[in-house]
Amino acid sequence: MLPLHWTSLAYEALIDDKDNTTVLFVKGLNLRPERLADASRFACVYGWDFSRPKYLLSSTAISVAQEIVRCRTPLSVLNLNPNPVKVSVMVRPPRGLPLVLPSVARPNPLPPPPPAAAAAHALCACTMLRNQARFLREWVTYHARVGVGRWFVYDNNSDDGLELTVASLVSSGFEVTRHAWPWVKTQEAGFAHCAVRARQARCAWVAFTDVDEFLYLPNVNRMTSPAPMREVLARLPRMIGEVRVACHSFGPSGRIRAPARGVTVGYTCRLASPERHKSIMRPEALDGSLVNVVHHFRLGDGYGYENLERAEVVVNHYKYQAWEVFKEKFYRRVATYVADWQEKGNEGSKDRAPGLGTEAIEPPDWAQRFCEVVDTGLRDWVVREFADPRTGRLAWEV
């Protein structure tokens, strides 16, 4: 069984087909978020037994940041297919002997890219989730209509039948893949892993969102297009590597239970002002370090970002749902640098729900909170677009 809780471990690795470098994901480096570390203090080591240093291959680190180490892959390792060796990181402290971290990571290549003749995906989506299978079909079905063609689902220890839901979506014609990602509090690393996969899968753009977040174009004329988000992205200059989309946070909208017809129809009252933003990235524009935080990445040299106007695109974030759903957020936060809600750290953070403490105790007025503006725009469009004209059932209703 893989160790899910740890303090020091190289836990995942891949070979980046762009330059054949090894990208290694490591817990225990204790590096600061959004900062590049001194790569000269680190090296990748390859072998079968890390307790016998003279039998290890070593490679200089190219970049080190957060939990991500990138190294040049030795040719002898590249020629091993399938790759039986493990890879870890050697840390050279200012004083004392170098330290090699324990590892369960193997530097395996990604699946082969699509044939050159195959159409590239104009827009893909990446998400990390735990026990949210019941929301996935609505999220995938909706986003297929607005232009997403490929979905990467990172499974963070779900036990609610997610594999069956993904299989059902695939049988319905959606290109969805599930990637087991059991590592606790490693969302940034998982999204970096996904960014490399998305580029290799020939995704022109990839949206990093949660399954309670829906891209919405308020202009109803734009929404009549077969794939409106693709049109928005197609007009952008080549050197725009990221677009940022403001998030409208919706509240429980008077509900005490999760809406049976889905979040887009069930929640219609939100806060007036947007909270934060979510990003859609060109994978090819990302900095090689893959530094990222709160769903956006550092861009490579020459690339910039653009803020999309709210009149053009927003994210409807069904953040404060009925209590039976919302309370699950107290179980564990997936981001590395975000405190779990049972902890007292960062109690004023926007990541937390205002007015809640560190225990999952429902406030008496929860169902009425976070309701400043009634917004039925997306609900009305969803009913028109996805309801069966004979039965009235939405496309994702079981």
Side-chain angles (χ1 to χ4, degrees), residues 159-178:
D159 57 8
D160 63 345
L162 178 64
E163 300 98 323
L164 296 176
T165 300
V166 170
S168 174
L169 286 165
V170 171
S171 68
S172 297
F174 298 106
E175 194 170 347
V176 184
T177 52
R178 170 188 167 270

Side-chain angles (χ1 to χ4, degrees), residues 6-11 26-31 66-67 91 101:
W6 68 89
T7 57
S8 179
L9 182 73
Y11 56 88
V26 185
K27 204 76 171 177
L29 298 180
N30 299 320
L31 301 177
Q66 299 180 172
E67 295 185 354
V91 183
L101 273 62

Side-chain angles (χ1 to χ4, degrees), residues 3-188:
L4 302 184
H5 298 274
W6 68 89
T7 57
S8 179
L9 182 73
Y11 56 88
E12 193 87 23
L14 57 79
I15 303 294
D16 187 341
D17 69 333
K18 182 178 181 180
D19 54 10
N20 284 332
T21 54
T22 298
V23 182
L24 178 63
F25 302 95
V26 185
K27 204 76 171 177
L29 298 180
N30 299 320
L31 301 177
R32 298 178 67 181
E34 300 185 82
R35 301 283 184 88
L36 293 176
D38 179 3
S40 67
R41 293 182 47 232
F42 302 86
C44 290
V45 289
Y46 303 79
W48 289 267
D49 184 355
F50 293 130
S51 67
R52 306 173 70 184
K54 69 178 182 179
Y55 294 105
L56 300 178
L57 282 173
S58 177
S59 177
T60 303
I62 300 170
S63 65
V64 181
Q66 299 180 172
E67 295 185 354
I68 308 164
V69 179
R70 186 186 288 270
C71 297
R72 303 188 191 283
T73 311
L75 186 60
S76 57
V77 173
L78 287 173
N79 290 335
L80 293 172
N81 191 17
N83 205 325
V85 302
K86 292 193 291 187
V87 60
S88 188
V89 62
M90 177 187 291
V91 183
R92 302 184 181 97
R95 291 181 296 275
L97 297 175
L99 172 68
V100 176
L101 273 62
S103 176
V104 294
R106 299 185 186 276
N108 291 313
L110 292 170
H121 298 289
L123 177 60
C124 301
C126 180
T127 194
M128 184 177 291
L129 53 77
R130 176 187 174 275
N131 287 348
Q132 297 183 69
R134 59 175 167 162
F135 303 115
L136 190 62
R137 179 169 285 275
E138 178 184 11
W139 185 74
V140 169
T141 305
Y142 172 86
H143 281 101
R145 172 61 182 81
V146 299
V148 176
R150 176 83 159 83
W151 294 262
F152 302 91
V153 176
Y154 278 61
D155 181 0
N156 194 218
N157 300 305
S158 297
D159 57 8
D160 63 345
L162 178 64
E163 300 98 323
L164 296 176
T165 300
V166 170
S168 174
L169 286 165
V170 171
S171 68
S172 297
F174 298 106
E175 194 170 347
V176 184
T177 52
R178 170 188 167 270
H179 186 87
W181 191 266
W183 317 109
V184 174
K185 293 189 75 66
T186 58
Q187 185 182 59
E188 294 86 347

Side-chain angles (χ1 to χ4, degrees), residues 38-366:
D38 179 3
S40 67
R41 293 182 47 232
F42 302 86
C44 290
V45 289
Y46 303 79
W48 289 267
D49 184 355
F50 293 130
S51 67
R52 306 173 70 184
K54 69 178 182 179
Y55 294 105
L56 300 178
L57 282 173
S58 177
S59 177
T60 303
I62 300 170
S63 65
V64 181
Q66 299 180 172
E67 295 185 354
I68 308 164
V69 179
R70 186 186 288 270
C71 297
R72 303 188 191 283
T73 311
L75 186 60
S76 57
V77 173
L78 287 173
N79 290 335
L80 293 172
N81 191 17
N83 205 325
V85 302
K86 292 193 291 187
V87 60
S88 188
V89 62
M90 177 187 291
V91 183
R92 302 184 181 97
R95 291 181 296 275
L97 297 175
L99 172 68
V100 176
L101 273 62
S103 176
V104 294
R106 299 185 186 276
N108 291 313
L110 292 170
H121 298 289
L123 177 60
C124 301
C126 180
T127 194
M128 184 177 291
L129 53 77
R130 176 187 174 275
N131 287 348
Q132 297 183 69
R134 59 175 167 162
F135 303 115
L136 190 62
R137 179 169 285 275
E138 178 184 11
W139 185 74
V140 169
T141 305
Y142 172 86
H143 281 101
R145 172 61 182 81
V146 299
V148 176
R150 176 83 159 83
W151 294 262
F152 302 91
V153 176
Y154 278 61
D155 181 0
N156 194 218
N157 300 305
S158 297
D159 57 8
D160 63 345
L162 178 64
E163 300 98 323
L164 296 176
T165 300
V166 170
S168 174
L169 286 165
V170 171
S171 68
S172 297
F174 298 106
E175 194 170 347
V176 184
T177 52
R178 170 188 167 270
H179 186 87
W181 191 266
W183 317 109
V184 174
K185 293 189 75 66
T186 58
Q187 185 182 59
E188 294 86 347
F191 278 179
H193 189 280
C194 187
V196 177
R197 290 180 67 202
R199 191 193 63 233
Q200 187 263 2
R202 300 178 64 206
C203 297
W205 293 89
V206 58
F208 292 88
T209 69
D210 299 328
V211 295
D212 59 358
E213 296 168 338
F214 289 72
L215 292 163
Y216 171 48
L217 292 80
N219 186 325
V220 293
N221 294 324
R222 176 64 64 82
M223 289 292 274
T224 60
S225 164
M229 276 306 304
R230 296 183 194 178
E231 294 181 359
V232 170
L233 297 171
R235 69 164 177 78
L236 295 169
R238 189 67 188 170
M239 298 314 291
I240 294 297
E242 173 192 12
V243 292
R244 297 180 178 180
V245 185
C247 296
H248 281 312
S249 296
F250 281 71
S253 306
R255 294 186 175 274
I256 59 174
R257 293 183 177 83
R261 306 192 73 195
V263 298
T264 53
V265 172
Y267 299 113
T268 56
C269 202
R270 61 171 173 82
L271 296 177
S273 298
E275 292 185 320
R276 291 184 169 178
H277 67 267
K278 290 299 168 76
S279 295
I280 306 173
M281 317 289 304
R282 292 188 197 268
E284 67 180 40
L286 303 185
D287 183 77
S289 67
L290 300 176
V291 167
N292 70 95
V293 65
V294 196
H295 297 216
H296 67 88
F297 285 75
R298 176 176 295 195
L299 297 174
D301 292 342
Y303 287 97
Y305 70 88
E306 181 173 314
N307 291 311
L308 295 182
E309 296 292 334
R310 278 185 281 160
E312 186 172 24
V313 185
V314 295
V315 170
N316 275 16
H317 185 184
Y318 300 100
K319 181 177 181 179
Y320 307 111
Q321 296 191 32
W323 184 259
E324 67 177 16
V325 176
F326 183 82
K327 68 181 180 181
E328 294 301 317
K329 292 180 181 287
F330 280 86
Y331 173 76
R332 185 182 69 238
R333 309 301 286 152
V334 295
T336 307
Y337 301 100
V338 172
D340 287 339
W341 285 4
Q342 302 97 323
E343 301 173 4
K344 292 187 178 296
N346 298 325
E347 288 190 70
S349 167
K350 288 185 178 180
D351 176 68
R352 295 177 181 263
L356 293 185
T358 57
E359 298 181 25
I361 300 174
E362 181 179 3
D365 62 341
W366 178 259

